[in-house]
Amino acid sequence: MDLKKIGWIFFFAFLGLNIFLFSIYKEADDQEDVVYRTDQKVPIEDRLDSEDISYSGQFSEKHQKGYYISGKSSDMNEVLDEERDRQDDQDLLKDQTSVDDQTLTHSLTEENAITDTSQTSNVLKQFLQEENQVLFGDEYSYLEDVSSFKGDYPSIIAAQSYEGIPIDDSSSRIEIELSEQDDKWVLSNYTQTHISDLIPLREAISLYSEEEIINTLYVNNKIPSGSEIKWRHLAYTLNLKVRGQNVYVPAWFVAIEDEDGQTQIEKVNALTNRIITNTTVQTVENS
């Protein structure tokens, strides 16, 4: 065998070996790349988009501060008497008003109307400042997400708040019924509940972010494919009743509309990141 032929044999042998080693390296590199990619956290926005779940805006990564807070449901008969004395007006809310323990109902005789729904917050704020029309009005503010001008019973909701976070609960709100008249919405009557002596039960705690709770709802199959996240907000919700005191915890409220147009409001405890949508309020009475 001549040297030239031997040289070609070694050349092809080394070429084949190099190709073989390169293929092994490339395969290993591809496998490492797969492990790297699967180990990454897929952004919640990408997950939602992949299942045709729509939403508006961006999900905040901010960790706000919140408390366990407590307060007592006001006896509306008592507070009405106190306000009559304070304002030196024994006729305050005397007509068209009924009180059932913790709920006051009043039919408005003075016209307050909304001609432009984009101005609802301003109209409501002005109404709440009228001491002869509503009690403790300065403690309440517009809760836009749960207000509605649609359906058979349009209404706007105002809620008390604690350090900037509203209380989204039936124990602490003013619900004003609306009637549509001549291209305007007239405030017709309202029901009111009130919480007094709101205090924190412990120091402020860092809360889970909006982005984190959306992820929790998603991985727990609470946001179905093809649905729409209509709105979300942070608010206090009633968690426990202890000997006449209400205990509230901060929670994220998320309204989700499915493909059939049905809306479900999910709640996630902002302190623990646990879903509490169907959790019942526990009551501890005197022993």
Side-chain angles (χ1 to χ4, degrees), residues 15-29:
L15 179 62
L17 179 61
N18 286 334
I19 292 173
F20 175 71
L21 291 175
F22 179 77
S23 66
I24 292 177
Y25 169 80
K26 188 68 172 66
E27 182 179 0
D29 184 62

Side-chain angles (χ1 to χ4, degrees), residues 18 33 40 42 54 77 96 111 113 132 162 194 228 249 281:
N18 286 334
D33 190 45
Q40 293 297 297
V42 179
S54 59
N77 270 311
Q96 309 296 321
E111 181 173 307
N132 65 325
Y162 188 80
H194 179 265
E228 179 182 1
V249 297
V281 177

Side-chain angles (χ1 to χ4, degrees), residues 26-188:
K26 188 68 172 66
E27 182 179 0
D29 184 62
D30 288 344
Q31 288 177 348
E32 289 178 0
D33 190 45
V34 170
V35 171
Y36 175 80
R37 289 199 306 268
T38 56
D39 189 50
Q40 293 297 297
K41 287 185 176 181
V42 179
I44 184 60
E45 292 84 358
D46 292 347
R47 296 185 182 188
L48 298 180
D49 291 344
S50 70
E51 296 197 35
D52 196 29
I53 298 169
S54 59
Y55 55 93
S56 61
Q58 295 181 325
F59 302 123
S60 173
E61 299 179 14
K62 181 180 179 180
H63 293 269
Q64 300 184 54
K65 296 285 187 178
Y67 304 84
Y68 286 98
I69 61 173
S70 75
K72 184 177 181 180
S73 291
S74 301
D75 183 318
M76 298 307 286
N77 270 311
E78 289 184 2
V79 296
L80 180 55
D81 288 341
E82 291 172 358
E83 278 300 296
R84 285 171 175 168
D85 290 340
R86 187 184 72 82
Q87 296 187 35
D88 193 22
D89 181 5
Q90 296 305 308
D91 292 328
L92 176 67
L93 298 181
K94 185 175 183 180
D95 298 325
Q96 309 296 321
T97 302
S98 63
V99 179
D100 182 12
D101 294 330
Q102 299 167 359
T103 303
L104 180 148
T105 302
H106 178 66
S107 295
L108 297 170
T109 54
E110 298 181 15
E111 181 173 307
N112 293 270
I114 300 169
T115 56
D116 180 356
T117 56
S118 67
Q119 296 299 311
T120 300
S121 180
N122 293 332
V123 173
L124 179 60
K125 184 177 181 179
Q126 183 176 3
F127 166 72
L128 293 175
Q129 291 174 344
E130 299 179 10
E131 290 189 335
N132 65 325
Q133 292 288 318
V134 61
L135 304 177
F136 310 118
D138 59 344
E139 296 182 19
Y140 296 80
S141 55
Y142 185 34
L143 202 57
E144 181 177 6
D145 290 335
V146 296
S147 301
S148 176
F149 290 87
K150 301 178 181 179
D152 296 330
Y153 304 101
S155 63
I156 52 177
I157 308 296
Q160 290 177 266
S161 61
Y162 188 80
E163 293 194 357
I165 299 177
I167 302 173
D168 188 353
D169 190 84
S170 61
S171 62
S172 172
R173 64 171 47 177
I174 295 175
E175 181 170 358
I176 306 172
E177 294 182 13
L178 304 172
S179 60
E180 190 172 11
Q181 301 175 19
D182 301 325
D183 297 326
K184 61 184 177 181
W185 297 93
V186 177
L187 283 60
S188 57

